[in-house]
DNA sequence: AAATGTCTTGGACAACTGTCCAAGTCCTGT
DNA sequence: ACAGGACTTGGACAGTTGTCCAAGACATTT
């Protein structure tokens, strides 16, 4: 019996730091592809080419294409959740001004309309559609959603909203719909001031809502 | 020179009613596939199988897969635009109550959470993502967007909102984000009354917004 | 009934895909 | 220095894909 040179393409115990790095590069490339071409743009060969490595690499680091995609989506969510945590921490318990919140939101959205931001956004929406079909993707999305809801609630609280849960959800949904509209239309409309006007109206509406019960 | 039996798979002038019907069936099958499996679930063979016709049919009626997909998305949009027009006409210029508008919105959303509604919704969001990448899809979406904006503005006007353009856009975006959230989470949350509570809060906010200018 | 076009369809083809292998390289602990 | 394991990679394989063709079925007009 010949000594098996390595586990048959199942990197169970990874030791090498190189390997870890290459794996991360492959995931980066996969995330970019998801954003730029859609989930089905992710093929072993395309990912390898985008990462500048030989084609067989992807098969070595991931048991299957499904696992590769799953890990890519998980990594994407992980990163974004980390960002949410930072923003949440920065917000703290301070009382916020309506104008500065408007400005912060607008700046955040505009940042996402850069080419790189667009790709990241597209990948995120792709994940949402995937979650609508596959429960595994839904699990990935869950923590992300909790993060955005939490951040949004905090923002509404610091604006003095009455029902922070409801208005928090509404803020998340409205922003999500707005971003998708900007994406889908090539973000031609709602430039600069108009974006701010819409955001301001939204925040005004959500804070002015009386604590009415149903 | 042998007499060419037919234009080489380019059905320029269609006469036969049979052909028109089969073409429509293929488009139906393609739309369903887009919703159920995503745009890349659309393959010549899968569409033909779903429509219950031989595989070569799709190549006869559509010059390429791209055209098949494009036509399917166009048909999807066409149908939905027609529905929007009906609703718009039903709304008319009447003054609406906040409660009945809430109920109408909730009923409409709940109708979309049925299995068939889910598939249609998924196809729509797929089109939005496609539009983010391809200008051709953007053209398809344009008329649809105009229709929803128009309906939404009308609704806000009949609720007595001050700035119907801004609040109309916000209503569209919030509903769009809300539907996506319901889709992505398997619409477990926001059942029944909570959905109505959120919708009501949204409408209250959008109508209570003072006519503030930036 | 014959002609003229559309429609129908089984089969073929090259290109691409996911996956796997076998032989090599490199690093690390001893 | 050397052994053992992780890493690397070119190539191969079968399955799926988009597209096309050629031969026939069908309908309608002449």
């Amino acid at each position: 019996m010949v000594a098996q040179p390595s586990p048959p393409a199942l990197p169970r115990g990874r030791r090498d730091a190189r390997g870890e790095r290459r794996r991360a590069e492959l995931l980066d490339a996969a995330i970019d592809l998801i954003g730029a071409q859609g989930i089905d743009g992710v093929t072993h060969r395309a990912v390898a080419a985008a990462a500048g490595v030989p084609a067989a690499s992807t098969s070595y680091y991931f048991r299957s294409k499904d696992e590769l995609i799953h890990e890519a989506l998980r990594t994407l969510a992980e990163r974004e959740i980390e960002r949410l945590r930072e923003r949440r921490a920065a917000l703290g318990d301070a009382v916020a001004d309506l104008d500065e919140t408007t400005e912060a939101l607008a700046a955040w959205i505009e940042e996402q309309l850069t080419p790189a931001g667009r790709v990241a956004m597209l990948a995120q929406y792709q994940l949402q559609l995937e979650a609508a079909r596959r429960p595994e993707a839904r699990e990935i999305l869950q923590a992300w959603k909790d993060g955005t809801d939490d951040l949004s609630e905090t923002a509404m609280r610091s604006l003095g909203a009455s029902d922070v849960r409801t208005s928090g959800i509404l803020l998340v949904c409205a922003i999500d719909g707005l971003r998708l509209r900007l994406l889908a239309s090539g973000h031609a409309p709602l430039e600069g001031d108009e974006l701010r006007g819409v955001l301001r109206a939204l925040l005004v509406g959500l804070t002015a809502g009386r604590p009415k019960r149903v």
Side-chain angles (χ1 to χ4, degrees), chain A residues 148-193:
Chain A
T148 51
D149 285 1
D150 186 29
L151 179 59
S152 183
E153 262 190 42
T154 305
M156 291 316 295
R157 187 170 7 249
S158 67
L159 280 175
S162 49
D163 183 348
V164 293
R165 160 130 173 92
T166 299
S167 61
I169 289 180
L170 277 174
L171 179 60
V172 170
C173 289
I175 299 290
D176 220 39
L178 188 59
R179 291 191 312 153
L180 185 54
R181 158 185 277 247
L182 290 170
L183 263 185
S185 61
H187 56 86
L190 293 185
E191 290 276 329
D193 279 3

Side-chain angles (χ1 to χ4, degrees), chain A residues 59-78:
Chain A
S59 286
Y60 178 74
Y61 283 100
F62 305 94
R63 255 183 286 273
S64 67
K65 195 180 93 160
D66 272 353
E67 184 183 296
L68 167 57
I69 290 174
H70 186 85
E71 289 296 291
L73 292 176
R74 218 176 47 75
T75 305
L76 170 68
E78 217 167 52

Side-chain angles (χ1 to χ4, degrees), chain A residues 34-201:
Chain A
I34 290 174
Q37 318 237 29
I39 279 191
D40 299 81
V42 176
T43 70
H44 283 133
R45 287 164 178 86
V47 170
V53 301
S57 307
T58 48
S59 286
Y60 178 74
Y61 283 100
F62 305 94
R63 255 183 286 273
S64 67
K65 195 180 93 160
D66 272 353
E67 184 183 296
L68 167 57
I69 290 174
H70 186 85
E71 289 296 291
L73 292 176
R74 218 176 47 75
T75 305
L76 170 68
E78 217 167 52
R79 278 186 205 159
E80 220 60 36
I81 288 171
E82 186 48 41
R83 245 185 245 186
L84 286 173
R85 252 196 285 268
E86 290 169 12
R87 275 179 195 265
R88 164 65 217 259
L91 229 58
D93 298 329
V95 174
D97 182 35
L98 203 137
D99 284 316
E100 64 183 315
T101 305
T102 301
E103 185 51 37
L105 263 179
W108 176 65
I109 289 180
E110 278 172 347
E111 173 194 324
Q112 293 183 289
L113 294 181
T114 60
R118 273 179 69 85
V119 172
M121 254 201 288
L122 275 166
Q124 171 184 350
Y125 283 106
Q126 213 88 43
L127 169 57
Q128 300 210 66
L129 287 197
E130 200 66 7
R133 277 191 274 266
R134 299 182 132 83
E136 324 110 60
R138 211 169 292 164
E139 285 172 29
I140 294 179
L141 205 58
Q142 184 62 46
W144 191 342
K145 204 194 71 175
D146 291 345
T148 51
D149 285 1
D150 186 29
L151 179 59
S152 183
E153 262 190 42
T154 305
M156 291 316 295
R157 187 170 7 249
S158 67
L159 280 175
S162 49
D163 183 348
V164 293
R165 160 130 173 92
T166 299
S167 61
I169 289 180
L170 277 174
L171 179 60
V172 170
C173 289
I175 299 290
D176 220 39
L178 188 59
R179 291 191 312 153
L180 185 54
R181 158 185 277 247
L182 290 170
L183 263 185
S185 61
H187 56 86
L190 293 185
E191 290 276 329
D193 279 3
E194 195 180 4
L195 173 61
R196 283 165 175 76
V198 169
L199 290 175
R200 194 191 162 79

